[in-house]
Amino acid sequence: LHITFYSLLSLEYQANLFASILLMPQNKFINHVNNYFKRERIYKGHIYLDWQQVNINLANRLFSELNNLFDVSKQAAKIRLISKGLLINKQDMALNNIIKDVTQNILRDV
């Protein structure tokens, strides 16, 4: 059995995706994120996570709120946000590639 680093990341991603879907019902999740965007005056429909401190702070506050509301990890919150197009993550391109590959096959209407 040959397991690559990419396949391990993919398995971890799939576990986090499953947890995020199970623990964060779509309507409640979307409503909370939309309310956060309104509060923070984010009008473009997503958070852009790069290396600028203001963007890091916005993303971390949202991750924290989602953790408190749904009891999910930062990674599960990040995956759910990315899969819904609510977070553009320029910090972790490997995660973005895994999400793109797996999401095309798994996430359609979830």
Side-chain angles (χ1 to χ4, degrees):
L1 179 65
H2 179 70
I3 299 176
T4 65
F5 179 69
Y6 183 84
S7 64
L8 286 175
L9 284 176
S10 182
L11 289 173
E12 181 181 354
Y13 164 75
Q14 289 178 48
N16 277 317
L17 176 63
F18 177 74
S20 74
I21 292 168
L22 184 67
L23 298 172
M24 292 185 276
Q26 182 166 305
N27 289 340
K28 189 174 181 180
F29 169 78
I30 295 294
N31 286 337
H32 185 79
V33 172
N34 284 336
N35 287 335
Y36 179 82
F37 284 1
K38 286 177 190 171
R39 249 189 355 261
E40 295 295 334
R41 296 185 177 110
I42 299 169
Y43 302 114
K44 57 190 173 242
H46 63 269
I47 291 177
Y48 188 85
L49 180 57
D50 55 10
W51 299 105
Q52 294 182 53
Q53 195 60 49
V54 65
N55 294 336
I56 293 169
N57 292 343
L58 281 170
N60 282 335
R61 280 195 302 271
L62 180 55
F63 299 151
S64 179
E65 286 188 19
L66 293 172
N67 170 266
N68 291 334
L69 183 62
F70 296 108
D71 196 27
V72 295
S73 68
K74 175 182 176 179
Q75 194 70 356
K78 185 185 285 189
I79 286 169
R80 184 71 161 166
L81 289 163
I82 292 169
S83 70
K84 290 297 184 184
L86 300 168
L87 176 67
I88 308 299
N89 182 16
K90 294 297 182 180
Q91 287 187 346
D92 190 346
M93 296 311 289
L95 178 62
N96 290 341
N97 291 334
I98 292 168
I99 290 171
K100 187 172 112 183
D101 290 347
V102 175
T103 302
Q104 289 174 352
N105 298 320
I106 295 177
L107 254 184
R108 296 284 183 240
D109 299 316
V110 182

